[in-house]
Amino acid sequence: MLFKYRIVNVYLLLVFAVVVKCQNTVNRPCRVKSTGANGVCKVDRSCPKAQQDAESGIAPTICEILVSSIYVVCCEGATVSNVQASENSFLNGENNENNDRIVYESGEDSNLSLSERKCMEYNKDTVQRVEVIPLLSDPKPSGVLITKCKFDSVPLVVGGKPALPGEFPFMAVLGYTTTDSNVQWNCGGTLISDFYVMTAAHCVITKFGRPVLVRLGELDLSKDDDNSLPEDFGVSNVIPHPDYHPLSKNNDIALIRLSRQVKFTNFIRPACLWNTFNVRQNSAIATGWGATENGGSTVDVLQKVSLDLLEMSICDRTYGNLKYYKNGLPKTMLCAGKLKGGEDTCQGDSGGPLTVTKEDNQCIFYTVGITSFGRMCALENTPAIYTRVSEFIPWIEKTIWQ
């Protein structure tokens, strides 16, 4: 991962200052500070008395701050109620057996693609649904989604920097057998199910041969972890896209089936797949163990960098002189980088993910791109090319879930 080595003065004005604890908060007994009366902790929109006090200028007693300006307040006169939660809810202190469905966005499950349903299934422990009664004349319970993962890393502002343990639990690194029978880590990948890792096709059709080992839960390749991480998996099958073109790098995507099922943890969990052509976010996060300078050596510690998602016309100008792209880059590709230069993916980052999150849940990462190719790393006005994941959803779904 390439970035400029320079000191940057960044003034942080409380960009993200909410740490979600929430252990057994809702329905917990409490005391209202302004009156001394007994109460029960409730989501604010379920407590008419607290809203009335707030309108009168009386500050509510806060039991907990959740997310998106949702508060749990001490509600005077309230009683303990049955709170609906997911099987992984922190509200009941232990798993329940109801397997309540978690809805991430409006709409019925029948309207979701197979990969979207799998996204919900794999990430059910990162959110929980709390039923609240809105203050309406005809109240009906509605759901509030609360993120549960520990998201307390500093947002990416400039340049690249080392990742934190568990920050990118979907990250994979691919190992290849060397002439002296050792393992060399040459490409990245993305865990997308309990059996499959997604990578670039040029990472499985290489001069090194095909990968023989996939490592998950890795942070620092130079040392072992004390908590039984990382985990190594053998490779049972390698599936490059049938229309992959090695010279033009078109359809540069492949799937790797692991030799055994992955057990999800806080350090190992799949990323979701971005399903639509357009990406609403303006930037994305690239991760990998690639070189930190053009032509340099790869690094041991996983790096992260924020890159701008750019119009394809910009990359058309950069790569249009190549014979394969005289009519423009295909829609299966994505253009990303920093036009000012200085930040980029580089050698060794191939096959790794380009990901985004949504405002309502920064615990779930969506893979929008796969690191494919570029010119010299981090040159000014020279962004890189990524495989556009949304264009391959039918092939991925058919290959790994049907």
Side-chain angles (χ1 to χ4, degrees), residues 172-193:
V173 59
L174 310 186
Y176 302 76
T177 303
T178 62
T179 54
D180 54 1
S181 298
N182 290 322
V183 173
Q184 183 173 343
W185 307 104
N186 292 326
C187 273
T190 309
L191 181 68
I192 59 172
S193 81

Side-chain angles (χ1 to χ4, degrees), residues 75-346:
C75 191
E76 183 178 342
T79 58
V80 175
S81 62
N82 180 29
V83 179
Q84 302 296 320
S86 75
E87 61 177 32
N88 293 292
S89 172
F90 50 68
L91 292 178
N92 53 14
E94 59 186 35
N95 292 342
N96 79 38
E97 299 177 354
N98 293 330
N99 293 320
D100 297 326
R101 185 185 64 166
I102 298 176
V103 180
Y104 288 84
E105 295 181 353
S106 60
E108 295 299 324
D109 283 357
S110 59
N111 294 328
L112 300 178
S113 68
L114 178 54
S115 60
E116 288 173 314
R117 295 199 300 272
K118 288 296 182 180
C119 172
M120 293 167 57
E121 175 186 335
Y122 296 149
N123 289 279
K124 64 180 179 233
D125 62 339
T126 67
V127 298
Q128 72 129 82
R129 183 180 178 86
V130 178
E131 295 294 335
V132 298
I133 299 176
L135 302 177
L136 301 173
S137 58
D138 183 21
K140 295 180 180 179
S142 62
V144 175
L145 299 180
I146 304 171
T147 54
K148 293 172 54 182
C149 72
K150 183 180 180 182
F151 186 85
D152 57 2
S153 61
V154 178
L156 298 181
V157 179
V158 294
K161 61 191 304 181
L164 301 176
E167 189 174 8
F168 303 103
F170 49 83
M171 194 67 202
V173 59
L174 310 186
Y176 302 76
T177 303
T178 62
T179 54
D180 54 1
S181 298
N182 290 322
V183 173
Q184 183 173 343
W185 307 104
N186 292 326
C187 273
T190 309
L191 181 68
I192 59 172
S193 81
D194 53 350
F195 269 104
Y196 280 88
V197 164
M198 180 174 66
T199 187
H202 78 265
C203 285
V204 302
I205 304 174
T206 73
K207 62 181 180 181
F208 310 110
R210 74 176 221 170
V212 297
L213 196 66
V214 175
R215 178 169 288 182
L216 301 175
E218 182 60 282
L219 182 67
D220 188 341
L221 291 167
S222 68
K223 61 182 181 181
D224 293 330
D225 210 312
D226 294 334
N227 56 1
S228 300
L229 290 174
E231 283 194 65
D232 288 342
F233 295 78
V235 174
S236 67
N237 197 15
V238 170
I239 311 169
H241 193 276
D243 296 325
Y244 169 59
H245 193 285
L247 296 180
S248 69
K249 295 293 193 297
N250 197 15
N251 304 309
D252 191 11
I253 183 174
L255 299 171
I256 298 174
R257 182 176 172 85
L258 305 178
S259 59
R260 58 188 173 90
Q261 188 175 25
V262 179
K263 182 179 180 180
F264 303 154
T265 69
N266 289 337
F267 296 90
I268 300 175
R269 188 178 70 247
C272 295
L273 303 175
W274 191 261
N275 273 259
T276 59
F277 183 85
N278 293 321
V279 182
R280 293 185 295 272
Q281 289 80 344
N282 296 320
S283 62
I285 302 171
T287 44
W289 287 271
T292 57
E293 60 181 350
N294 193 58
S297 301
T298 56
V299 297
D300 291 326
V301 179
L302 179 64
Q303 301 288 303
K304 58 185 179 182
V305 66
S306 181
L307 302 175
D308 296 329
L309 297 176
L310 304 171
E311 295 291 337
M312 288 304 295
S313 58
I314 296 175
C315 278
D316 284 338
R317 293 196 296 269
T318 303
Y319 300 97
N321 60 337
L322 300 178
K323 65 178 181 179
Y324 301 107
Y325 310 125
K326 291 189 180 298
N327 296 322
L329 294 166
K331 66 176 184 177
T332 54
M333 295 181 179
L334 186 67
C335 181
K338 291 285 187 179
L339 295 182
K340 66 179 181 180
E343 298 121 21
D344 200 0
T345 47
C346 205

Side-chain angles (χ1 to χ4, degrees), residues 383-395:
I385 298 298
Y386 298 79
T387 304
R388 190 184 292 268
V389 171
S390 62
E391 293 300 289
F392 298 93
I393 296 299
W395 176 71

